[in-house]
Amino acid sequence: AMDAFERHLDIAVVIMDQGDQLLRQRMALAECLRQRAGGRQLLVVSLVLVLDARLLRLVSDFPLGLVDHFFAKPLSAAKLLDTLRQSFAPGHVGDFQSGGDAARAMAAVINRMSPP
């Protein structure tokens, strides 16, 4: 995953799908992605089996902001698209402010994926 991330500088979204038993490893991966991203815009989404207090305890061992969104499985495509749309919306406060190349490219992808 890291090799692909470093080779493809246009990657703006990483979706991690994991069993809860791998959460610590995935959080470490998210931390590594953030470090290697440098100034790149990056949205990290993590799919988990259950959103609960145990997850919160595990995540609290890591710096804030490594993962932008946690979603419980099963995740609907509509919910994911809505999250992407909001993250890349013009004027969004955060990593994906309007005017960025990654934001414009992602908006084009989202528009192609959206149902009519």
Side-chain angles (χ1 to χ4, degrees), residues 29-47:
L29 174 62
E31 187 169 29
C32 190
L33 286 167
R34 292 278 183 211
Q35 290 169 354
R36 293 189 184 184
R40 278 168 69 180
Q41 297 175 327
L42 180 65
L43 179 74
V44 178
V45 175
S46 183
L47 306 179

Side-chain angles (χ1 to χ4, degrees), residues 7-23:
R7 278 193 320 270
H8 301 284
L9 299 178
D10 57 342
I11 293 175
V13 177
V14 174
I15 300 174
M16 298 186 297
D17 186 5
Q18 71 219 25
D20 289 358
Q21 69 277 11
L22 299 176
L23 182 62

